[in-house]
Short mmCIF file of all heavy atoms in Angstrom, two decimals:
data_model
loop_
_atom_site.label_atom_id
_atom_site.label_comp_id
_atom_site.label_asym_id
_atom_site.label_seq_id
_atom_site.Cartn_x
_atom_site.Cartn_y
_atom_site.Cartn_z
N LEU A 6 30.46 -16.19 -10.08
CA LEU A 6 31.25 -15.00 -9.83
C LEU A 6 30.70 -13.81 -10.68
O LEU A 6 30.52 -12.69 -10.14
CB LEU A 6 32.72 -15.26 -10.12
CG LEU A 6 33.68 -14.08 -9.88
CD1 LEU A 6 33.57 -13.58 -8.35
CD2 LEU A 6 35.06 -14.52 -10.23
N LEU A 13 25.98 -6.89 -7.53
CA LEU A 13 26.59 -5.74 -6.76
C LEU A 13 26.52 -4.48 -7.54
O LEU A 13 26.31 -3.39 -6.97
CB LEU A 13 28.06 -6.05 -6.41
CG LEU A 13 28.28 -7.11 -5.37
CD1 LEU A 13 29.78 -7.45 -5.27
CD2 LEU A 13 27.71 -6.80 -4.05
N GLU A 63 10.64 23.40 18.10
CA GLU A 63 9.68 22.84 19.10
C GLU A 63 8.86 21.65 18.38
O GLU A 63 8.59 21.72 17.22
CB GLU A 63 8.67 23.84 19.56
CG GLU A 63 9.25 25.00 20.27
CD GLU A 63 8.23 26.00 20.70
OE1 GLU A 63 7.03 25.89 20.36
OE2 GLU A 63 8.60 26.94 21.44
N GLU A 71 -2.63 14.40 16.88
CA GLU A 71 -2.46 15.88 17.18
C GLU A 71 -2.55 16.67 15.91
O GLU A 71 -3.22 17.73 15.82
CB GLU A 71 -1.13 16.17 17.90
CG GLU A 71 -1.05 15.70 19.28
CD GLU A 71 0.27 15.98 19.94
OE1 GLU A 71 0.91 17.00 19.55
OE2 GLU A 71 0.71 15.20 20.79
N LEU A 72 -1.86 16.22 14.85
CA LEU A 72 -1.86 16.94 13.63
C LEU A 72 -3.24 16.99 13.02
O LEU A 72 -3.77 18.01 12.57
CB LEU A 72 -0.90 16.29 12.61
CG LEU A 72 -0.95 16.78 11.24
CD1 LEU A 72 0.19 17.83 11.06
CD2 LEU A 72 -0.69 15.67 10.21
N GLU A 104 14.28 11.24 1.60
CA GLU A 104 14.38 12.45 2.39
C GLU A 104 14.16 13.59 1.45
O GLU A 104 14.59 13.58 0.29
CB GLU A 104 15.81 12.53 3.00
CG GLU A 104 15.98 13.66 3.94
CD GLU A 104 15.16 13.49 5.22
OE1 GLU A 104 14.85 12.37 5.59
OE2 GLU A 104 14.82 14.58 5.79
N SER A 128 12.14 20.13 5.80
CA SER A 128 12.72 18.84 5.52
C SER A 128 11.77 17.73 6.03
O SER A 128 11.07 17.97 7.06
CB SER A 128 14.09 18.69 6.14
OG SER A 128 14.01 18.82 7.52
#
Side-chain angles (χ1 to χ4, degrees):
L6 181 58
L13 289 174
E63 298 178 355
E71 287 179 32
L72 175 95
E104 189 65 28
S128 59

